[in-house]
Amino acid sequence: MTKVAAIDCGTNSIRLLVADVDQATGSLTDLDRRMTIVRLGQGVDRTGRLAPEALERTFAACRAYAEVIAAHGVARTRFVATSASRDASNRDDFVRGVVDILGVEPEVITGDEEAALSFTGATRELAAAETALVVDIGGGSTEFVLGDTRVRAARSVDIGCVRLTERHLLRDGELTDPPTPEQVAAVRADIERALDLVAETVPLREAATLVGLAGSVTTVGAIALGLTEYDSALIHRSRVPYGRVEQITADLLTATHAQRAADPVIHPGRVDVIGVGALILQTIMERTAAPEVTVSEHDILDGIAWSVAG
């Protein structure tokens, strides 16, 4: 049994998993799993830099995570940073801050590496030979990975719920509430262009199963189940048909901020971006002709934990 810590720092959130990994049985047991919305990617698409206030929010979360890691007596830690820190010209400031707090250097991984870790985390427990398309919808980017017992094709594209919300739904620095049909159409056009790029390397209609990861997908799953509070155990491996995704997306994109915030399964840090996240999922399902999406609570964080354990 190896006690490991995995940290995934994305555009919208930073997450921690402390787990016992048993290589002999192929099992991963959660000891602590938590998430903090830090919006590290605030303004990156516009400025190309990490904002000072975004860095401080992220460093505060890192300090809290350092206490958890120490309390569990973790043997190995891996910190993976994804889209926002890849894009930022001042990412060295981010790296130095993380090293000072956690004593490990954040690995600013490529989109392909991110895709492979997401695939491992999402599919290792499934142990199925059928082909799956794993889609990880993040804040700054979305990863597409096609595989069965191994990765066959992967592509990362710069469409994420935070990036596209900031690009298209802001007017004079304020979020349009709710977005106009013209703004929604502009978001969808970006998604469609990105899917054209994905289709160049990933056969989008070859998969028997579409597996969706990350907060936008799990939130849609929670809404589809009609939950009154977020319950990972119920959400994990639930299946949402396309028609339900389409309806939820329409509801989110026509709701006001207050109406979205009143839904107890939508994390406060996702209230402004969940409509775009749902639209990304819906458009992917249309392009792949997937009749349903299997929602997974296991994702890149689990993949990082497996990689730490060797």
Side-chain angles (χ1 to χ4, degrees), residues 137-192:
I137 301 174
S141 64
T142 297
E143 283 64 53
F144 295 77
V145 196
L146 183 75
D148 34 53
T149 55
R150 62 179 180 83
V151 173
R152 289 172 42 198
R155 186 73 180 259
S156 176
V157 286
D158 285 341
I159 51 167
C161 58
V162 174
R163 187 186 297 272
L164 295 186
T165 296
E166 290 188 350
R167 183 181 296 172
H168 295 294
L169 304 192
L170 292 180
R171 285 184 176 171
D172 299 321
E174 296 294 328
L175 192 70
T176 306
D177 184 30
T180 66
E182 293 76 18
Q183 288 175 314
V184 173
V187 172
R188 180 184 274 275
D190 269 7
I191 300 168
E192 294 284 6

Side-chain angles (χ1 to χ4, degrees), residues 215-228:
S216 291
V217 179
T218 58
T219 301
V220 169
I223 295 171
L225 289 169
L227 300 182
T228 55

Side-chain angles (χ1 to χ4, degrees), residues 122-144:
T123 63
R124 183 148 185 164
E125 68 171 0
L126 300 179
E130 68 178 20
T131 302
L133 176 65
V134 174
V135 177
D136 186 343
I137 301 174
S141 64
T142 297
E143 283 64 53
F144 295 77

Side-chain angles (χ1 to χ4, degrees), residues 4 25 39 68 78 84 103 106 126 230-231 241 304 310:
V4 303
T25 62
R39 198 65 65 86
V68 175
R78 186 180 184 191
L126 300 179
Y230 194 93
D231 188 326
I304 296 167

